[in-house]
Amino acid sequence: MVNPVWLRTFCCVVETRNFTRASERLFMTQSGVSQHIRKLEDAVGTILVDRSDNHITLTAAGERMFHEAQPVLAALQRLSDSVTGESEYTGTVRIMTPGSAGLILHDRLLSLQLQHAGLIINLRFAPNSDIEHAISGRDTDIGLMTRLPEDPQCAFRRISEERLLLVTPVNAQVDDINSLNALGFIDHPDGAHHANLLLSSNFTDYQQHSQLRRSGYCNQISLILEPVSRGLGYTILPENAVNAFQQQDKIEVQPLAHPVSEPLYLVWRQHHYHARAVANVMEKVENWLSV
């Protein structure tokens, strides 16, 4: 029989790629972690971890063990939750999202929290790269991204899309990149990504983000259009972020020959069991944002 405690220790070592970090996460001594791995190897009759250098390297058997262990540990956790009667909406749920999707979610998440006294929502706005890093590092439970994640630890599915808009001060004349540079670009954390998507499809003289003259930068989604409304430049934002701006009479959405939308992906950590509250909130988020 394989002891599930040894199995959980083994998976933690694989995930951290370091015996010391695994011992810290598991609140064990490093020798205790090593002992669990040796006992697991004795139980299955083969070497799982190559200890020939300073790095953690799995043998072929170790790779198979790690892959097969994920659903086993998840099933054991579900059994424990079922026996203890874990509530459907109890505990902390951590969500990271781009600003535009966050504007849609914020009010709905607050309403959900009001319905369930034991639910705590931790909502953070962040760019794609930070969200992907947090998902793979187990620093958040649910992620929303506007590009495909590259880390193999991240599982995902496309749930929606949203138009990107070129927003200028009222009565601005936009014909080419030179006219945009005369205004100046109000940049933001996803500015390069949005510019590459939208401008490359509508301006033949656009090549890359670095050719844009920046006239400002803001990392708060609700404030990015403020300098635009005061005539300090233009920006590119998702439609929901533009619609949420209060001073619509001071900005103008430029008509474009080729409308562009960016996808929205729901992202979570591959082979990771989610507490019931996380799974339920994830389902709510997908329903709220799906096309």
Side-chain angles (χ1 to χ4, degrees):
M1 292 289 289
V2 173
N3 188 319
V5 175
W6 305 340
L7 197 61
R8 189 170 287 109
T9 301
F10 167 73
C11 288
C12 188
V13 169
V14 176
E15 290 164 358
T16 59
R17 294 286 172 177
N18 185 282
F19 277 86
T20 301
R21 286 197 294 271
S23 67
E24 291 171 350
R25 180 182 291 184
L26 296 169
F27 300 101
M28 296 173 59
T29 64
Q30 189 170 335
S31 62
V33 170
S34 298
Q35 187 178 50
H36 279 191
I37 301 301
R38 284 195 300 271
K39 288 183 176 180
L40 180 61
E41 290 175 331
D42 290 342
V44 299
T46 189
I47 299 298
L48 302 174
V49 178
D50 184 354
R51 301 170 177 81
S52 59
D53 55 29
N54 293 326
H55 301 286
I56 299 300
T57 304
L58 294 182
T59 63
E63 292 283 0
R64 290 193 297 272
M65 175 65 78
F66 181 68
H67 178 74
E68 296 294 336
Q70 304 303 310
V72 172
L73 292 176
L76 288 172
Q77 185 63 56
R78 286 193 296 271
L79 175 62
S80 175
D81 292 344
S82 176
V83 170
T84 58
E86 180 190 10
S87 171
E88 292 186 346
Y89 290 100
T90 297
T92 298
V93 179
R94 303 168 299 171
I95 306 172
M96 290 182 71
T97 173
S100 183
L103 291 174
I104 300 173
L105 290 177
H106 187 240
D107 184 64
R108 295 180 180 184
L109 289 170
L110 291 178
S111 297
L112 185 65
Q113 200 170 343
L114 286 171
Q115 296 171 28
H116 304 281
L119 180 63
I120 300 172
I121 297 293
N122 182 332
L123 178 65
R124 286 184 286 166
F125 290 23
N128 287 315
S129 58
D130 290 358
I131 296 169
E132 181 172 2
H133 182 73
I135 288 288
S136 63
R138 300 177 185 267
D139 293 324
T140 194
D141 304 306
I142 303 169
L144 293 160
M145 294 177 59
T146 57
R147 63 161 173 79
L148 284 171
E150 299 171 354
D151 193 313
Q153 297 283 4
C154 295
F156 63 88
R157 61 176 169 265
R158 181 170 175 154
I159 61 172
S160 184
E161 63 178 38
E162 186 176 4
R163 280 200 310 158
L164 290 177
L165 302 179
L166 175 60
V167 190
T168 67
V170 175
N171 298 323
Q173 185 68 34
V174 174
D175 300 310
D176 52 21
I177 294 301
N178 287 334
S179 59
L180 288 175
N181 278 339
L183 290 170
F185 185 49
I186 305 299
D187 207 351
H188 53 84
D190 286 321
H193 176 60
H194 289 165
N196 288 335
L197 287 174
L198 189 69
L199 299 183
S200 62
S201 298
N202 288 278
F203 295 90
T204 57
D205 53 345
Y206 178 78
Q207 296 177 345
Q208 56 190 359
H209 178 249
S210 61
Q211 78 184 101
L212 301 179
R213 183 184 71 83
R214 297 204 322 178
S215 59
Y217 182 94
C218 183
N219 67 350
Q220 295 294 324
I221 186 71
S222 61
L223 300 178
I224 294 172
L225 287 171
E226 187 67 28
V228 176
S229 71
R230 299 191 183 196
L232 293 173
Y234 74 96
T235 197
I236 300 168
L237 285 174
E239 186 172 15
N240 284 308
V242 176
N243 292 340
F245 187 63
Q246 296 297 312
Q247 302 179 67
Q248 293 288 318
D249 59 327
K250 295 184 179 179
I251 60 173
E252 185 173 343
V253 175
Q254 294 293 324
L256 298 172
H258 305 286
V260 172
S261 295
E262 67 173 351
L264 186 64
Y265 298 95
L266 181 66
V267 186
W268 64 97
R269 198 176 194 280
Q270 190 86 263
H271 306 305
H272 178 66
Y273 169 71
H274 289 117
R276 192 175 302 176
V278 173
N280 289 338
V281 171
M282 185 184 296
E283 183 179 359
K284 291 281 188 184
V285 166
E286 183 170 3
N287 289 338
W288 291 332
L289 296 175
S290 292
V291 175

